[in-house]
Amino acid sequence: MLDYHLHLWPHGQRDEAPTVERVAAYCHAAGEAGVSEVALTEHLFRFAQADRLLRGFWDTEPDPALAASMRRYWDDHARADLDAYVSCVLAAKEAGLPVVLGLEVDYYAGRMDEVAGLLAGYPFDVLLGSVHWLGTWRFDDLGDPVSMGQWSARDVDAVWEDYTRAMEELAATGACDVLAHPDLVKVAGHRPVAPEECWDRLVEAARASGMAAEVSSAGWRKPVAEAYPAPGLLARFAAAGIPLTTASDAHDLPDVADRSAELAGLLEAHGVRTLRAYRGRRGVDVAARTPAVRP
Ligand SMILES: [Zn+2]
Ligand SMILES: [Zn+2]
């Protein structure tokens, strides 16, 4: 098993300096759960380098409350040093820890060439592509009343359509390798009557771009109380032969490799025997199940 989606510090905690010791603790916890390799995938928006490149992308937002909310969120987050993060993970790799260097990258419409230009300067193994916001609306920010209020102001079918289109556009840019939490739009529990069309489009986006799709336990820790992707979407990914990764999306040590046994069960139920790992942004297939760790 893999845990290919990990953050080194929780949201709301600022300016954490990454250390090899913390990466080692993540690797140890993952190993105890039968996970053979992890990817550190910090949010791009947590780094000052992203601030310099993308600051003000909310300026075209017509809703002043949403624009102000995004500016506050950005100011809280875009503070760490990408160079220090990369150096730390590379040092952990060099020390022999089973870790690869990744990043979780949001979709910035019309700006992905610039984002790719920034990221090309670093030796990433894997880049996750995520849609956490539509325009500037952070539809998954469960603790933000401005963001959550939008769910009652918008039509759920339209939100799913917007989300699916953003994922299609992100995939088409070729900037990233893995579609992270592919049906994150369900996070707060709002679902269309018929999600199948969106599911089919997400599968086609992965197939056409060559991206893998992530199978994540994080949804079990959210109001939707279901893994990403939903059973119907996972069945479609498996049937189409889309490469898969497994992930916890932990933001702190206790959630590392969360429910990896349940994820292994989901893969087995769909006849999935290999997972997609990455080296220098090239996919490598590895066995989905690793032998049990000796006590
Ligand atoms: Zn995410
Ligand atoms: Zn994440």
Side-chain angles (χ1 to χ4, degrees):
M1 293 293 284
L2 304 171
D3 191 343
Y4 252 47
H5 190 150
L6 291 166
H7 302 276
L8 284 169
W9 66 98
H11 290 282
Q13 190 172 315
R14 290 181 171 191
D15 299 321
E16 183 81 3
T19 63
V20 173
E21 288 69 31
R22 183 142 174 96
V23 178
Y26 272 43
C27 290
H28 179 74
E32 295 275 290
V35 168
S36 55
E37 183 173 288
V38 308
L40 268 297
T41 57
E42 202 46 80
H43 293 287
L44 171 61
F45 64 71
R46 283 181 144 170
F47 296 106
Q49 285 84 350
D51 186 48
R52 291 199 279 278
L53 186 67
L54 296 160
R55 180 171 196 81
F57 74 89
W58 52 82
D59 285 346
T60 52
E61 169 61 55
D63 181 334
L66 279 181
S69 171
M70 180 53 93
R71 192 188 61 243
R72 277 196 305 273
Y73 187 80
W74 190 266
D75 285 344
D76 277 349
H77 283 84
R79 307 162 64 93
D81 179 27
L82 183 57
D83 294 342
Y85 164 75
V86 168
S87 299
C88 171
V89 179
L90 292 181
K93 273 175 84 167
E94 235 163 74
L97 292 170
V99 59
V100 299
L101 173 63
L103 203 67
E104 180 173 14
V105 181
D106 274 274
Y107 176 50
Y108 301 91
R111 307 289 299 274
M112 295 310 285
D113 284 349
E114 295 165 71
V115 170
L118 168 66
L119 301 184
Y122 299 91
F124 286 112
D125 291 301
V126 61
L127 296 175
L128 308 184
S130 296
V131 171
H132 299 103
W133 49 65
L134 299 169
T136 63
W137 173 40
R138 299 190 312 285
F139 63 82
D140 75 329
D141 193 349
L142 302 166
D144 178 49
V146 173
S147 299
M148 287 304 101
Q150 289 288 308
W151 275 110
S152 36
R154 300 194 189 205
D155 175 68
V156 170
D157 287 323
V159 172
W160 275 62
E161 163 65 29
D162 291 349
Y163 172 83
T164 304
R165 192 170 349 100
M167 289 287 273
E168 289 171 332
E169 290 174 7
L170 171 59
T173 67
C176 300
D177 308 305
V178 182
L179 290 172
H181 35 60
D183 55 350
L184 177 67
V185 66
K186 72 185 178 185
V187 61
H190 304 286
R191 307 190 216 218
V193 178
E196 293 82 3
E197 190 210 323
C198 292
W199 291 345
D200 288 338
R201 287 168 57 189
L202 290 167
V203 173
E204 177 55 21
R207 193 203 59 74
S209 63
M211 292 175 79
E214 176 185 278
V215 183
S216 168
S217 61
W220 276 314
R221 307 192 300 271
K222 301 289 170 149
V224 70
E226 175 186 276
Y228 308 111
L233 178 53
L234 178 56
R236 281 165 167 79
F237 280 134
I242 303 300
L244 300 172
T245 67
T246 45
S248 69
D249 203 353
H251 285 64
D252 207 349
L253 192 55
D255 286 330
V256 171
D258 182 36
R259 301 184 220 213
S260 55
E262 283 95 324
L263 293 180
L266 285 182
L267 298 177
E268 240 168 54
H270 288 90
V272 176
R273 293 191 177 78
T274 59
L275 291 172
R276 178 60 52 92
Y278 286 87
R279 303 280 180 273
R281 304 201 56 204
R282 294 165 72 98
V284 188
D285 284 338
V286 297
R289 270 228 180 256
T290 50
V293 178
R294 283 171 194 276

